[in-house]
Amino acid sequence: MWGCGALLGARAGLRLCRELFLAWNRGWSAAAPYSASAEPSRVRALVYGHHGDPAKVVELKNLELAAVGGSDVHVKMLAAPINPSDINMIQGNYGLLPKLPAVGGNEGVGQVVAVGSSVTGVKPGDWVIPASAGLGTWQTEAVFSEEALISIPRDLPLQSAATLSVNPCTAYRMLMDFEQLQPGDCVIQNASNSGVGQAVIQIAAALGLRTVNVVRDRPDLQKLTDRLKSLGAEHVLTEEELRKHEMKNFFKDMPPPRLALNSVGGKSSTELLRHLAPGGTMVTYGGMAKQPVIASVSQLIFKDLKLRGFWLSQWKKDHSPEPEPVHHPSPPGGLAAQNVTRPPPPS
Ligand SMILES: NC(=O)c1ccc[n+]([C@@H]2O[C@H](COP(=O)([O-])OP(=O)(O)OC[C@H]3O[C@@H](n4cnc5c(N)ncnc54)[C@H](OP(=O)(O)O)[C@@H]3O)[C@@H](O)[C@H]2O)c1
């Protein structure tokens, strides 16, 4: 859930994560313990001025805090993850790009320090998370407009609160929106140990759905299998096992999946399609292998499979009754809440 390695290549990604977290923690311990105070303090932020390799373009900077206007909320960040999409955004490869310079990070939890005179939805001490992507959460504190925030209960574990708004919501929507699943129906997914994958396992189990969870092989496979099963996974298979001929007997004991969730692409997605029930849907929401989805012609013709995509940012936009949040202009020498723009579609 806190991983960022895969989209970069595992090693570069892990190195970057470590560097970013070290920088974050250095800034963090200097400026923001786990409680909020009304005293103004130095804002430390992980900022990038142009797109590129995150290890090269992201810098730890001191920013000025914007003044708190009538509809504004001063927030002290408590925790923020590094998600693959944060890395893509810095690289400039994402469907939504901030105006530069920008503070990194799209997810996290903060505590309200102070509110403007017309703010009614939150009060000092409340915990808040971003309403949508592009807020810039990798900073110790910031001033955001009230519309950019959602209040959450304060009794959630900190790490769960900081990772509530992206992966679990993605998992839930994909389980709800593409097939009318009933208890006992089966769902198959790849990258099942990812943040989204673990949320899929838990939500599916709560809905009474059966899951086939595909992971990459590793030396401690049994440990991972046990962990995913403890979350509610029914079956955990490796990519290699899924390709074996014997798999054709596997679905004699359970219904073939009506929904496949693909965040890998390449061969892995071809295998998911091979096991889908006739008329079933594969939803692609990530491309960790950086390879296209390849669907067999016969599977498409004879099984009438459906290929769909899902993007949480688009879902939120499509289902938001509110206009786009009003963003602050940057204060001198600082960065306030960010604007995001959509890059042109790839040609
Ligand atoms: N569309 C949306 O709205 C949406 C929302 C949330 C997330 N996502 C996407 O979903 C994906 C997962 O995000 P996350 O935060 O859950 O990820 P995460 O927790 O960082 O986990 C990454 C996962 O990708 C796997 N992986 C990495 N490289 C791979 C490769 N070359 N081939 C196969 N598997 C590979 C990892 O497996 P190992 O453990 O074997 O390395 C791990 O399971 C990302 O692509 C992310 O951008 C999309």
Side-chain angles (χ1 to χ4, degrees):
M1 204 174 270
W2 296 79
C4 69
L7 283 177
L8 290 169
R11 276 188 200 163
L14 286 175
R15 194 181 60 244
L16 171 72
C17 285
R18 205 165 41 239
E19 284 163 12
L20 286 180
F21 272 121
L22 285 174
W24 171 261
N25 285 332
R26 277 198 298 275
W28 184 257
S29 53
Y34 276 20
S35 66
S37 111
E39 287 299 308
S41 58
R42 203 168 56 143
V43 179
R44 308 273 280 161
L46 291 168
V47 178
Y48 55 106
H50 50 272
H51 295 295
D53 176 355
K56 293 188 179 133
V57 299
V58 176
E59 292 175 276
L60 183 63
K61 289 200 164 172
N62 295 325
L63 301 181
E64 262 178 51
L65 197 64
V68 181
S71 58
D72 291 339
V73 181
H74 174 191
V75 175
K76 202 158 229 182
M77 292 306 300
L78 300 179
I82 301 172
N83 285 320
S85 56
D86 300 326
I87 304 303
N88 292 153
M89 214 179 234
I90 296 167
Q91 291 167 327
N93 300 331
Y94 198 61
L96 206 70
L97 295 176
K99 286 182 180 162
L100 299 180
V103 177
N106 293 290
E107 200 182 16
V109 61
Q111 188 165 32
V112 175
V113 177
V115 298
S117 53
S118 58
V119 170
T120 53
V122 292
K123 57 182 186 317
D126 284 355
W127 279 16
V128 287
I129 59 174
S132 47
L135 203 61
T137 53
W138 295 348
Q139 52 189 323
T140 51
E141 54 192 297
V143 173
F144 300 119
S145 66
E146 184 185 5
E147 293 81 17
L149 302 168
I150 296 173
S151 174
I152 60 160
R154 277 182 58 173
D155 56 358
L156 293 173
L158 189 70
Q159 289 194 2
S160 303
T163 52
L164 190 63
S165 59
V166 178
N167 292 341
C169 300
T170 300
Y172 181 75
R173 291 272 46 115
M174 293 193 301
L175 288 170
M176 299 309 288
D177 293 350
F178 293 91
E179 288 285 336
Q180 298 278 315
L181 298 172
Q182 304 297 329
D185 282 344
C186 174
V187 176
I188 189 167
Q189 64 166 340
N190 55 22
S192 307
N193 60 323
S194 68
V196 177
Q198 292 183 50
V200 165
I201 290 170
Q202 293 170 81
I203 297 168
L207 294 171
L209 301 172
R210 306 175 70 176
T211 55
V212 177
N213 301 281
V214 184
V215 295
R216 292 199 288 184
D217 200 5
R218 65 199 67 224
D220 59 349
L221 180 66
Q222 191 55 49
K223 203 168 144 200
L224 176 63
T225 300
D226 292 346
R227 190 160 63 82
L228 297 184
K229 287 193 170 177
S230 76
L231 295 178
E234 182 166 343
H235 296 281
V236 179
L237 303 172
T238 62
E239 297 275 358
E240 291 73 22
E241 284 171 328
L242 195 66
R243 274 178 220 144
K244 283 193 176 148
H245 186 66
E246 302 82 73
M247 274 303 293
K248 77 176 193 311
N249 297 323
F250 185 84
F251 289 106
K252 285 190 176 147
D253 296 330
M254 66 187 300
R258 293 182 44 206
L259 180 68
L261 303 176
N262 166 44
S263 74
V264 175
K267 282 184 190 160
S268 177
S269 53
T270 310
E271 285 303 313
L272 294 190
L273 281 171
R274 198 157 70 83
H275 295 291
L276 260 189
T281 301
M282 182 170 81
V283 181
T284 294
Y285 67 97
M288 300 305 285
K290 296 186 173 170
Q291 286 166 8
V293 168
I294 299 170
S296 125
V297 168
S298 62
Q299 296 282 325
L300 288 176
I301 296 175
F302 300 123
K303 283 168 70 182
D304 188 19
L305 302 179
K306 299 186 277 293
L307 301 181
R308 300 286 306 273
F310 177 79
W311 187 28
L312 185 66
S313 295
Q314 189 62 46
W315 187 94
K316 283 187 182 175
K317 207 162 178 245
D318 294 345
H319 293 81
S320 172
E322 302 293 332
E324 285 289 289
V326 178
H327 294 288
H328 297 270
S330 293
L335 293 163
Q338 302 173 192
N339 281 317
V340 286
T341 56
R342 210 172 277 269
S347 50

